[in-house]
Amino acid sequence: IGHMEQVSEKHKKLRTDPVRSATLEFAPWKEPLPQFGFLCSTAEPDPRKCEVVGLPAYSFKGTKTEFTIITKDVNGDHCSRGGSRVLFRLEGVDGATQVRYVGNGSYVASFVPEGVGEVKLSVLVNGEHIKGSPYFVGGT
């Protein structure tokens, strides 16, 4: 199958039913094709579709650990704006935590564990656990 036929098949599978209060914007994106960008949604995020990216398997006492929380709408499309209540909690060790909005519906979260041991990390968007939450990170 040629490239255009593959693209055409993929588009046939896209949802065509509207999401209430949703609009689409074209936002530039660095990867994988900067000249094309990606479609993103201004609809409210759906915690069941939101994702964590870059969470390491281990954290180290006194060292900053960072990961990204990507908000997505009910269709799994990136949300294009911030303003959602995004937070996370640590259990198992104490530590400083921070979440900051970085654009395109993405948030960078970080924590610095004050102790050694496994960390239970609960990630919530608008008061609900996101897909896969809670996460467990080993600690040394």
Side-chain angles (χ1 to χ4, degrees):
I1 297 178
H3 177 68
M4 291 308 291
E5 291 171 346
Q6 289 175 340
V7 171
S8 177
E9 286 300 315
K10 183 177 181 181
H11 285 115
K12 286 180 185 176
K13 296 176 186 176
L14 292 175
R15 282 184 75 140
T16 56
D17 54 318
V19 175
R20 189 169 50 149
S21 301
T23 60
L24 292 177
E25 296 178 359
F26 185 78
W29 192 251
K30 297 176 186 169
E31 295 178 11
L33 301 171
Q35 65 271 27
F36 292 105
F38 68 97
L39 290 176
C40 51
S41 170
T42 58
E44 288 297 312
D46 181 344
R48 297 167 298 170
K49 302 289 183 171
C50 298
E51 298 178 340
V52 163
V53 176
L55 183 64
Y58 292 94
S59 63
F60 300 92
K61 178 182 175 182
T63 302
K64 185 181 200 178
T65 300
E66 281 190 345
F67 58 95
T68 302
I69 302 164
I70 300 173
T71 57
K72 295 186 176 187
D73 69 11
V74 68
N75 293 323
D77 296 322
H78 284 254
C79 293
S80 64
R81 58 186 161 88
S84 300
R85 289 186 337 254
V86 176
L87 62 95
F88 72 99
R89 313 189 271 267
L90 298 178
E91 294 179 44
V93 298
D94 290 329
T97 62
Q98 180 183 18
V99 177
R100 63 186 165 82
Y101 181 67
V102 294
N104 287 338
S106 297
Y107 298 77
V108 171
S110 63
F111 63 96
V112 179
E114 296 174 359
V116 175
E118 183 176 67
V119 177
K120 179 180 177 183
L121 187 69
S122 296
V123 180
L124 297 100
V125 171
N126 294 335
E128 295 181 39
H129 281 275
I130 70 166
K131 177 175 65 175
S133 178
Y135 301 91
F136 294 89
V137 177
T140 58

